[in-house]
């Protein structure tokens, strides 16, 4: 008589333990496993168009655009994303070529030259119009004498108001020199900046002015946003390899304002990824004279960069990319 109750009690106890494991299993598993992590692989593709009018042996830009579309889809599915950057500091901001690269190639960030490059050619031609303008100003000198002083003040205020939104703009594909831009990709904020060639020049009296301007814009934007990666372009035609002024400036900047922000200097000519004096530098990975492109692979975990490396990708030739067109 006592055997049956003991057996039933053991059976009931085992059943209770089993139910408890089923209920508490997920919580026990989360306690034993490390905290949830967010991995974000980001691919950075940098394209430098030819400055000359040489014809490429195949339709490189069309092939690059098709390849990049597929590449970005892959990175997005992996939980990250990709950015196609075009480095063309020799082209003015309002150039038709810039618009073409933005639309047909699908470039998301374009480092362009200053917009004041175009008007220089226009002001040289009309010599007769200058004489007419002088006559008009002589007649209206007395009438507009009082109104001449306030005009510069009004225009300077307007210019100041126009510059402010550009600093905090999150989506600004075409970046002229001296304008800091932030782009969100894969849940991360990327900072892009390119100083003007003039601001890099130094003499005995004055130091280069680009760093002070960059610090001011960064401090203003950093108040309301968290940054995960910084890319600064060296627009020089022949950038210095050792003691690069941009890399040296970023090193000093991070000591003062943001010592945890990873950064890289983009050079205007093709070169492999390099680490020198605590700073990374990288050249154009995609050029029209080759089917192979070097992609900068950035791997973030919980918003922190834990790995950076360079991978070589091969583009399909013009004859073998028919399947891409059908997609």
């Amino acid at each position: 008589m006592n055997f049956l109750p003991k057996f039933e009690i053991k059976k009931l106890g085992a059943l209770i333990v089993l139910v408890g494991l089923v209920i508490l299993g997920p919580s026990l598993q989360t306690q034993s496993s490390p905290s949830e992590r967010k991995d974000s692989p980001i691919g950075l593709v940098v394209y430098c168009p030819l400055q000359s009018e040489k014809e490429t042996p195949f339709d490189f830009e069309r092939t690059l655009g098709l390849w990049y579309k597929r590449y970005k889809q892959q990175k997005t599915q992996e939980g990250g994303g990709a950015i196609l950057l075009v480095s063309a500091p020799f082209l003015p901001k309002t150039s038709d070529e810039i618009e073409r690269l933005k639309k047909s190639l699908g470039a998301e960030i374009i480092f362009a030259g200053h917009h004041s490059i175009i008007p220089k050619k226009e002001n040289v031609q009309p010599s007769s119009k200058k004489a007419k303008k002088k006559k008009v100003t002589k007649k209206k000198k007395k009438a507009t004498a009082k109104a001449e002083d306030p005009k510069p003040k009004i225009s300077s205020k307007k210019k100041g108001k126009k510059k402010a939104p550009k600093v905090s703009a999150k989506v600004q594909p075409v970046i002229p020199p001296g304008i800091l831009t932030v782009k969100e990709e894969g849940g991360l904020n990327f900072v892009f900046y390119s100083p003007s060639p003039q601001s890099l020049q130094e003499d005995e009296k004055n130091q280069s002015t680009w760093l002070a301007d960059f610090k001011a814009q960064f401090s203003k934007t950093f108040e309301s946003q968290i940054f995960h990666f910084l890319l600064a372009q060296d627009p020089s035609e022949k950038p210095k390899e050792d003691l690069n002024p941009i890399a040296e400036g970023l090193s000093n900047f991070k000591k003062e304002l943001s010592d945890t922000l990873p950064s890289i200097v983009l050079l205007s000519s093709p070169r492999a990824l390099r680490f020198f004096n605590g700073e990374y530098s990288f050249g154009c990975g995609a050029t029209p004279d080759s089917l192979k492109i070097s992609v900068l692979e950035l791997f973030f975990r919980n918003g922190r960069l834990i790995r950076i490396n360079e991978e070589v990708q091969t583009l399909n030739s013009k004859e073998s990319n028919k399947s891409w067109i059908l997609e």
Side-chain angles (χ1 to χ4, degrees):
M1 295 293 290
N2 294 334
F3 175 75
L4 290 173
K6 288 182 180 179
F7 177 75
E8 293 295 334
I9 290 171
K10 289 181 179 179
K11 188 176 180 182
L12 182 61
L15 183 62
I16 292 171
V17 172
L18 181 62
V19 172
L21 289 173
V22 172
I23 296 173
L24 299 175
S27 61
L28 292 173
Q29 186 177 1
T30 53
Q31 289 177 3
S32 61
S33 63
S35 59
E36 293 184 6
R37 62 193 187 191
K38 167 66 175 173
D39 292 342
S40 304
I42 304 292
L44 187 62
V45 182
V46 182
Y47 169 52
C48 289
L50 294 174
Q51 297 191 29
S52 60
E53 296 182 356
K54 292 181 180 179
E55 292 185 2
T56 53
F58 60 97
D59 193 350
F60 178 82
E61 289 184 357
R62 181 170 173 274
T63 306
L64 177 62
L66 291 169
W67 172 87
Y68 175 72
K69 184 179 179 181
R70 188 175 179 181
Y71 173 77
K72 183 161 186 172
Q73 287 177 350
Q74 178 188 347
K75 287 294 178 183
T76 304
Q77 290 173 358
E78 294 173 358
I83 299 173
L84 176 56
L85 185 151
V86 173
S87 176
F90 57 93
L91 291 173
K93 177 186 174 183
T94 52
S95 170
D96 294 337
E97 184 69 6
I98 291 290
E99 287 298 314
R100 187 190 66 78
L101 289 168
K102 185 172 63 174
K103 293 178 182 178
S104 64
L105 186 61
E108 295 150 314
I109 294 291
I110 302 178
F111 281 129
H114 201 272
H115 61 274
S116 62
I117 295 177
I118 291 179
K120 288 181 180 179
K121 296 180 180 179
E122 296 176 356
N123 292 336
V124 178
Q125 297 175 356
S127 57
S128 58
K129 289 183 180 179
K130 289 182 179 179
K132 291 180 181 179
K133 284 183 179 178
K134 287 182 181 179
K135 291 179 182 179
V136 175
T137 50
K138 284 181 182 179
K139 290 179 182 179
K140 294 185 178 181
K141 229 176 185 182
K142 293 180 181 180
T144 59
K146 294 179 182 180
E148 281 177 356
D149 293 333
K151 284 183 180 178
K153 294 178 183 179
I154 295 170
S155 61
S156 62
K157 286 181 181 178
K158 286 182 179 178
K159 287 180 180 178
K161 287 180 181 178
K162 287 180 181 178
K163 287 181 181 179
K166 291 181 181 178
V167 174
S168 58
K170 288 187 177 181
V171 182
Q172 181 68 24
V174 183
I175 309 177
I179 301 298
L180 184 145
T181 298
V182 182
K183 174 176 170 47
E184 188 272 334
E185 182 67 24
L188 305 170
N189 289 327
F190 292 80
V191 185
F192 297 92
Y193 183 84
S194 178
S196 64
Q198 293 78 12
S199 66
L200 292 173
Q201 296 177 359
E202 296 183 3
D203 53 33
E204 295 178 357
K205 297 180 180 180
N206 301 320
Q207 294 183 348
S208 58
T209 58
W210 77 270
L211 187 57
D213 181 61
F214 169 74
K215 285 181 180 178
Q217 293 187 60
F218 183 90
S219 299
K220 184 176 180 180
T221 315
F222 189 67
E223 293 175 0
S224 58
Q225 298 180 48
I226 298 175
F227 298 147
H228 300 94
F229 193 80
L230 165 64
L231 186 145
Q233 177 183 241
D234 185 349
S236 307
E237 292 184 8
K238 296 181 179 179
K240 297 178 181 178
E241 286 291 329
D242 299 338
L243 296 176
N244 182 279
I246 306 293
E248 188 177 6
L250 290 183
S251 179
N252 296 330
F253 149 75
K254 286 192 286 188
K255 289 176 183 177
E256 297 177 19
L257 295 178
S258 184
D259 57 348
T260 59
L261 180 65
S263 63
I264 192 167
V265 177
L266 173 63
L267 306 179
S268 58
S269 56
R271 189 172 60 69
L273 180 67
R274 184 189 185 199
F275 187 75
F276 180 78
N277 279 1
E279 292 295 327
Y280 284 100
S281 57
F282 179 71
C284 298
T287 53
D289 56 352
S290 175
L291 281 170
K292 292 184 178 181
I293 62 173
S294 298
V295 181
L296 201 63
E297 298 282 351
L298 309 173
F299 192 85
F300 294 84
R301 176 163 291 166
N302 297 332
R304 181 188 174 193
L305 181 68
I306 62 172
R307 187 169 70 246
I308 178 172
N309 64 289
E310 180 183 1
E311 289 190 5
V312 179
Q313 302 276 352
T314 303
L315 300 179
N316 282 9
S317 64
K318 186 176 180 181
E319 290 75 21
S320 61
N321 68 356
K322 294 180 181 178
S323 61
W324 293 7
I325 301 172
L326 296 174
E327 289 179 355

